[in-house]
Amino acid sequence: MASFELICPAGTPAALRAAVDAGADSVYCGFRDETNARNFPGLNFSPAEMAEGVAYAHRRGRSLFVAINTYPAAGNPAPWHRAVDQAAEFGADAVILADLGLLDYAARRHPRLRLHLSVQASAANADAVALYRDVFGVRRVVLPRVLTVQDIARLTAETGVETEVFVFGGLCPMAEGRCSLSSYATGQSPNRQGVCSPASHVRYEQRGDVMASRLGDFTINLFEEGEPAGYPTLCKGRFVTDRRRSYLFEEPTSLNAVALLPELKAAGVRALKIEGRQRGKAYIAATVAAYRQALDSFDRTGRAEVPMLTDMTEGRRGTTGAYTRTWR
């Protein structure tokens, strides 16, 4: 048996095929509506495409998980219930859920459907994970990116629930209020409508020699002449605090934890997740292939072969994030 299950993103049918063909063990994707947290124009799956995606993965011996990981609107749970029902009908191998009511619905209506707890639920301690296990029968928890390897080892040992952790891509921790900031700036919530920093609210303004990036009515960053102007997400904005301008929440860099494979294995982690459903199929193919190579090498030798992924990381820089607690 392989040391880890490699879970890979797919924002389109083409990306799904690329992920499977590049060596993903499982692929996660969402419907083309507000039921998933990557609800952007041009992304995601119609019901027919989802059914075909499940079939494509299964024909090749792989699994498909459906992310239904936003929170239903008050008085209108029907779209979320429909998404769960369709995932079960199409033969999805699991649904990834965050909302308590939706977990209850899925557990009651589809008792054979495997339930995974989304990172959006921010379950970061053993008591929380045990609650979801005991009440809803959750089999796996996707852990938020705020835990050290030692934290993960203790949680896994105490709960017996499969743990899945992010190893590459964006560093969105989910639990620090950033989604609320994005909602405040745009009126659209990542947690409710699945829209973070929507393009319709993005503006760039030339101010003399400086390029300003704006989200709604707020200036997120100022770029000097010749400096690449990044996309204005609040997480990666530069703000002035204590008379010092800096990346207050998160620097423009990518998580890359491939060097920590031995530690994550010893901690009992079952699955490794690549972030990036908003990425194109070329990015998906390259990152999945690199991690497949690293994991196959690890299975053979017990050592983590670190692939060259610099071109795929934001700002051409990588970090191990909270796993080694080197962040401020």
Side-chain angles (χ1 to χ4, degrees), residues 12 19 35 82 90 92 98 101 108 117 124 126 140 143 162 212 245 259 276 278 317 322 327:
T12 64
T35 64
R82 181 171 61 248
F90 300 153
R108 287 187 293 103
L117 187 67
R140 178 181 296 180
L143 294 175
E162 294 177 7
R245 181 169 170 259
Q278 72 278 24
R317 293 189 298 150
W327 54 300

PDB file of all heavy atoms in Angstrom, residues 12 19 35 82 90 92 98 101 108 117 124 126 140 143 162 212 245 259 276 278 317 322 327:
ATOM      1  N   THR A  12     -11.918  22.078 -13.777  1.00  0.00           N
ATOM      2  CA  THR A  12     -12.586  21.861 -15.054  1.00  0.00           C
ATOM      3  C   THR A  12     -12.457  20.388 -15.424  1.00  0.00           C
ATOM      4  O   THR A  12     -11.583  19.684 -14.902  1.00  0.00           O
ATOM      5  CB  THR A  12     -11.940  22.699 -16.178  1.00  0.00           C
ATOM      6  OG1 THR A  12     -10.583  22.254 -16.370  1.00  0.00           O
ATOM      7  CG2 THR A  12     -11.966  24.191 -15.850  1.00  0.00           C
ATOM      8  N   ALA A  19      -5.188  15.666 -14.035  1.00  0.00           N
ATOM      9  CA  ALA A  19      -4.804  15.190 -12.706  1.00  0.00           C
ATOM     10  C   ALA A  19      -4.760  13.670 -12.658  1.00  0.00           C
ATOM     11  O   ALA A  19      -3.803  13.073 -12.147  1.00  0.00           O
ATOM     12  CB  ALA A  19      -5.768  15.732 -11.655  1.00  0.00           C
ATOM     13  N   THR A  35     -22.464  26.198  -4.158  1.00  0.00           N
ATOM     14  CA  THR A  35     -22.284  25.140  -3.166  1.00  0.00           C
ATOM     15  C   THR A  35     -20.824  24.797  -2.934  1.00  0.00           C
ATOM     16  O   THR A  35     -20.520  24.010  -2.040  1.00  0.00           O
ATOM     17  CB  THR A  35     -23.027  23.844  -3.582  1.00  0.00           C
ATOM     18  OG1 THR A  35     -22.462  23.333  -4.792  1.00  0.00           O
ATOM     19  CG2 THR A  35     -24.518  24.108  -3.766  1.00  0.00           C
ATOM     20  N   ARG A  82     -29.448  19.332  -3.122  1.00  0.00           N
ATOM     21  CA  ARG A  82     -29.398  18.779  -4.477  1.00  0.00           C
ATOM     22  C   ARG A  82     -27.976  18.348  -4.840  1.00  0.00           C
ATOM     23  O   ARG A  82     -27.766  17.299  -5.458  1.00  0.00           O
ATOM     24  CB  ARG A  82     -29.912  19.816  -5.471  1.00  0.00           C
ATOM     25  CG  ARG A  82     -29.927  19.307  -6.922  1.00  0.00           C
ATOM     26  CD  ARG A  82     -30.647  20.281  -7.841  1.00  0.00           C
ATOM     27  NE  ARG A  82     -29.998  21.589  -7.869  1.00  0.00           N
ATOM     28  CZ  ARG A  82     -30.532  22.697  -7.360  1.00  0.00           C
ATOM     29  NH1 ARG A  82     -31.724  22.669  -6.776  1.00  0.00           N
ATOM     30  NH2 ARG A  82     -29.883  23.851  -7.421  1.00  0.00           N
ATOM     31  N   PHE A  90     -24.341  10.015  -8.694  1.00  0.00           N
ATOM     32  CA  PHE A  90     -23.300   9.800  -9.706  1.00  0.00           C
ATOM     33  C   PHE A  90     -22.221   8.832  -9.247  1.00  0.00           C
ATOM     34  O   PHE A  90     -21.339   8.480 -10.015  1.00  0.00           O
ATOM     35  CB  PHE A  90     -22.643  11.129 -10.078  1.00  0.00           C
ATOM     36  CG  PHE A  90     -23.596  12.152 -10.651  1.00  0.00           C
ATOM     37  CD1 PHE A  90     -23.335  13.507 -10.534  1.00  0.00           C
ATOM     38  CD2 PHE A  90     -24.753  11.754 -11.311  1.00  0.00           C
ATOM     39  CE1 PHE A  90     -24.210  14.452 -11.049  1.00  0.00           C
ATOM     40  CE2 PHE A  90     -25.634  12.691 -11.833  1.00  0.00           C
ATOM     41  CZ  PHE A  90     -25.365  14.045 -11.703  1.00  0.00           C
ATOM     42  N   ALA A  92     -20.045   9.344  -6.535  1.00  0.00           N
ATOM     43  CA  ALA A  92     -18.855   9.966  -5.961  1.00  0.00           C
ATOM     44  C   ALA A  92     -18.357   9.139  -4.780  1.00  0.00           C
ATOM     45  O   ALA A  92     -19.140   8.543  -4.033  1.00  0.00           O
ATOM     46  CB  ALA A  92     -19.163  11.394  -5.519  1.00  0.00           C
ATOM     47  N   ALA A  98     -18.850  21.065   5.190  1.00  0.00           N
ATOM     48  CA  ALA A  98     -18.465  21.862   6.350  1.00  0.00           C
ATOM     49  C   ALA A  98     -19.643  22.150   7.269  1.00  0.00           C
ATOM     50  O   ALA A  98     -19.485  22.189   8.493  1.00  0.00           O
ATOM     51  CB  ALA A  98     -17.829  23.183   5.900  1.00  0.00           C
ATOM     52  N   GLY A 101     -25.700  21.286   9.422  1.00  0.00           N
ATOM     53  CA  GLY A 101     -26.981  20.835   8.904  1.00  0.00           C
ATOM     54  C   GLY A 101     -26.833  19.990   7.669  1.00  0.00           C
ATOM     55  O   GLY A 101     -27.569  19.008   7.461  1.00  0.00           O
ATOM     56  N   ARG A 108     -28.171  11.260   7.075  1.00  0.00           N
ATOM     57  CA  ARG A 108     -29.502  10.642   7.153  1.00  0.00           C
ATOM     58  C   ARG A 108     -29.989  10.139   5.802  1.00  0.00           C
ATOM     59  O   ARG A 108     -30.539   9.034   5.699  1.00  0.00           O
ATOM     60  CB  ARG A 108     -30.500  11.644   7.722  1.00  0.00           C
ATOM     61  CG  ARG A 108     -30.343  11.919   9.212  1.00  0.00           C
ATOM     62  CD  ARG A 108     -31.464  12.788   9.748  1.00  0.00           C
ATOM     63  NE  ARG A 108     -31.430  14.152   9.196  1.00  0.00           N
ATOM     64  CZ  ARG A 108     -32.243  14.601   8.247  1.00  0.00           C
ATOM     65  NH1 ARG A 108     -33.181  13.808   7.718  1.00  0.00           N
ATOM     66  NH2 ARG A 108     -32.147  15.846   7.805  1.00  0.00           N
ATOM     67  N   LEU A 117     -14.760  15.861   6.216  1.00  0.00           N
ATOM     68  CA  LEU A 117     -14.965  17.189   6.797  1.00  0.00           C
ATOM     69  C   LEU A 117     -14.043  18.190   6.117  1.00  0.00           C
ATOM     70  O   LEU A 117     -12.822  18.029   6.118  1.00  0.00           O
ATOM     71  CB  LEU A 117     -14.703  17.161   8.296  1.00  0.00           C
ATOM     72  CG  LEU A 117     -15.057  18.449   9.040  1.00  0.00           C
ATOM     73  CD1 LEU A 117     -16.566  18.683   9.013  1.00  0.00           C
ATOM     74  CD2 LEU A 117     -14.552  18.395  10.479  1.00  0.00           C
ATOM     75  N   ALA A 124      -9.743  21.884  14.362  1.00  0.00           N
ATOM     76  CA  ALA A 124      -8.300  21.884  14.582  1.00  0.00           C
ATOM     77  C   ALA A 124      -7.890  21.241  15.901  1.00  0.00           C
ATOM     78  O   ALA A 124      -6.750  21.376  16.326  1.00  0.00           O
ATOM     79  CB  ALA A 124      -7.771  23.328  14.532  1.00  0.00           C
ATOM     80  N   ALA A 126      -8.786  17.653  18.754  1.00  0.00           N
ATOM     81  CA  ALA A 126      -9.350  16.304  18.829  1.00  0.00           C
ATOM     82  C   ALA A 126     -10.816  16.311  19.238  1.00  0.00           C
ATOM     83  O   ALA A 126     -11.608  15.497  18.745  1.00  0.00           O
ATOM     84  CB  ALA A 126      -8.527  15.456  19.790  1.00  0.00           C
ATOM     85  N   ARG A 140     -13.065  11.211   7.487  1.00  0.00           N
ATOM     86  CA  ARG A 140     -11.797  11.904   7.255  1.00  0.00           C
ATOM     87  C   ARG A 140     -11.980  13.387   7.511  1.00  0.00           C
ATOM     88  O   ARG A 140     -13.033  13.951   7.212  1.00  0.00           O
ATOM     89  CB  ARG A 140     -11.304  11.688   5.824  1.00  0.00           C
ATOM     90  CG  ARG A 140     -10.004  12.441   5.498  1.00  0.00           C
ATOM     91  CD  ARG A 140      -9.569  12.214   4.059  1.00  0.00           C
ATOM     92  NE  ARG A 140      -9.232  10.819   3.810  1.00  0.00           N
ATOM     93  CZ  ARG A 140      -8.827  10.348   2.638  1.00  0.00           C
ATOM     94  NH1 ARG A 140      -8.750  11.158   1.587  1.00  0.00           N
ATOM     95  NH2 ARG A 140      -8.525   9.069   2.491  1.00  0.00           N
ATOM     96  N   LEU A 143      -7.474  19.005   7.528  1.00  0.00           N
ATOM     97  CA  LEU A 143      -7.053  19.862   8.629  1.00  0.00           C
ATOM     98  C   LEU A 143      -6.680  21.265   8.142  1.00  0.00           C
ATOM     99  O   LEU A 143      -6.075  21.432   7.083  1.00  0.00           O
ATOM    100  CB  LEU A 143      -5.860  19.242   9.349  1.00  0.00           C
ATOM    101  CG  LEU A 143      -6.160  17.926  10.076  1.00  0.00           C
ATOM    102  CD1 LEU A 143      -4.877  17.342  10.650  1.00  0.00           C
ATOM    103  CD2 LEU A 143      -7.196  18.150  11.183  1.00  0.00           C
ATOM    104  N   GLU A 162      -9.235   9.498   9.818  1.00  0.00           N
ATOM    105  CA  GLU A 162      -8.230   9.752   8.799  1.00  0.00           C
ATOM    106  C   GLU A 162      -7.963  11.254   8.706  1.00  0.00           C
ATOM    107  O   GLU A 162      -8.896  12.056   8.725  1.00  0.00           O
ATOM    108  CB  GLU A 162      -8.706   9.260   7.429  1.00  0.00           C
ATOM    109  CG  GLU A 162      -8.866   7.766   7.324  1.00  0.00           C
ATOM    110  CD  GLU A 162      -9.404   7.351   5.957  1.00  0.00           C
ATOM    111  OE1 GLU A 162      -9.520   8.222   5.068  1.00  0.00           O
ATOM    112  OE2 GLU A 162      -9.719   6.164   5.789  1.00  0.00           O
ATOM    113  N   ALA A 212      -1.529  50.811  -8.233  1.00  0.00           N
ATOM    114  CA  ALA A 212      -2.358  50.423  -7.090  1.00  0.00           C
ATOM    115  C   ALA A 212      -3.307  49.314  -7.511  1.00  0.00           C
ATOM    116  O   ALA A 212      -3.936  49.384  -8.573  1.00  0.00           O
ATOM    117  CB  ALA A 212      -3.149  51.623  -6.580  1.00  0.00           C
ATOM    118  N   ARG A 245       4.970  49.368   6.659  1.00  0.00           N
ATOM    119  CA  ARG A 245       4.209  48.743   5.578  1.00  0.00           C
ATOM    120  C   ARG A 245       4.752  47.343   5.328  1.00  0.00           C
ATOM    121  O   ARG A 245       5.934  47.159   5.075  1.00  0.00           O
ATOM    122  CB  ARG A 245       4.317  49.590   4.307  1.00  0.00           C
ATOM    123  CG  ARG A 245       3.547  49.066   3.106  1.00  0.00           C
ATOM    124  CD  ARG A 245       3.518  50.136   2.015  1.00  0.00           C
ATOM    125  NE  ARG A 245       2.999  49.633   0.761  1.00  0.00           N
ATOM    126  CZ  ARG A 245       3.764  49.278  -0.267  1.00  0.00           C
ATOM    127  NH1 ARG A 245       5.083  49.390  -0.181  1.00  0.00           N
ATOM    128  NH2 ARG A 245       3.223  48.830  -1.372  1.00  0.00           N
ATOM    129  N   ALA A 259       9.285  18.148   1.558  1.00  0.00           N
ATOM    130  CA  ALA A 259      10.432  17.723   2.354  1.00  0.00           C
ATOM    131  C   ALA A 259      10.016  17.108   3.692  1.00  0.00           C
ATOM    132  O   ALA A 259      10.831  16.474   4.361  1.00  0.00           O
ATOM    133  CB  ALA A 259      11.371  18.902   2.592  1.00  0.00           C
ATOM    134  N   GLY A 276      -5.643  24.179  -5.548  1.00  0.00           N
ATOM    135  CA  GLY A 276      -5.543  24.827  -6.846  1.00  0.00           C
ATOM    136  C   GLY A 276      -6.634  24.528  -7.839  1.00  0.00           C
ATOM    137  O   GLY A 276      -6.356  24.378  -9.034  1.00  0.00           O
ATOM    138  N   GLN A 278      -8.569  26.555  -9.025  1.00  0.00           N
ATOM    139  CA  GLN A 278      -8.659  27.691  -9.934  1.00  0.00           C
ATOM    140  C   GLN A 278      -7.519  27.693 -10.959  1.00  0.00           C
ATOM    141  O   GLN A 278      -7.447  28.573 -11.813  1.00  0.00           O
ATOM    142  CB  GLN A 278      -8.641  29.009  -9.140  1.00  0.00           C
ATOM    143  CG  GLN A 278      -7.306  29.375  -8.530  1.00  0.00           C
ATOM    144  CD  GLN A 278      -7.013  28.678  -7.218  1.00  0.00           C
ATOM    145  OE1 GLN A 278      -7.552  27.611  -6.924  1.00  0.00           O
ATOM    146  NE2 GLN A 278      -6.130  29.262  -6.426  1.00  0.00           N
ATOM    147  N   ARG A 317       8.694  31.252  -4.498  1.00  0.00           N
ATOM    148  CA  ARG A 317       9.155  30.927  -3.150  1.00  0.00           C
ATOM    149  C   ARG A 317       8.212  29.914  -2.516  1.00  0.00           C
ATOM    150  O   ARG A 317       7.006  29.946  -2.745  1.00  0.00           O
ATOM    151  CB  ARG A 317       9.207  32.185  -2.274  1.00  0.00           C
ATOM    152  CG  ARG A 317      10.245  33.202  -2.688  1.00  0.00           C
ATOM    153  CD  ARG A 317      10.363  34.287  -1.632  1.00  0.00           C
ATOM    154  NE  ARG A 317       9.119  35.011  -1.474  1.00  0.00           N
ATOM    155  CZ  ARG A 317       8.719  35.564  -0.335  1.00  0.00           C
ATOM    156  NH1 ARG A 317       9.449  35.429   0.759  1.00  0.00           N
ATOM    157  NH2 ARG A 317       7.582  36.227  -0.272  1.00  0.00           N
ATOM    158  N   ALA A 322       2.854  26.487   8.782  1.00  0.00           N
ATOM    159  CA  ALA A 322       2.749  26.216  10.226  1.00  0.00           C
ATOM    160  C   ALA A 322       3.293  24.860  10.623  1.00  0.00           C
ATOM    161  O   ALA A 322       3.494  24.598  11.818  1.00  0.00           O
ATOM    162  CB  ALA A 322       1.287  26.316  10.657  1.00  0.00           C
ATOM    163  N   TRP A 327       6.576  30.651  11.025  1.00  0.00           N
ATOM    164  CA  TRP A 327       5.897  31.903  10.656  1.00  0.00           C
ATOM    165  C   TRP A 327       5.693  32.747  11.895  1.00  0.00           C
ATOM    166  O   TRP A 327       5.686  32.257  13.017  1.00  0.00           O
ATOM    167  CB  TRP A 327       4.574  31.600   9.964  1.00  0.00           C
ATOM    168  CG  TRP A 327       3.689  30.705  10.763  1.00  0.00           C
ATOM    169  CD1 TRP A 327       3.965  29.435  11.192  1.00  0.00           C
ATOM    170  CD2 TRP A 327       2.386  30.985  11.255  1.00  0.00           C
ATOM    171  NE1 TRP A 327       2.904  28.932  11.903  1.00  0.00           N
ATOM    172  CE2 TRP A 327       1.927  29.852  11.959  1.00  0.00           C
ATOM    173  CE3 TRP A 327       1.543  32.093  11.144  1.00  0.00           C
ATOM    174  CZ2 TRP A 327       0.702  29.800  12.563  1.00  0.00           C
ATOM    175  CZ3 TRP A 327       0.297  32.031  11.753  1.00  0.00           C
ATOM    176  CH2 TRP A 327      -0.106  30.885  12.455  1.00  0.00           C
TER     177      TRP A 327
END
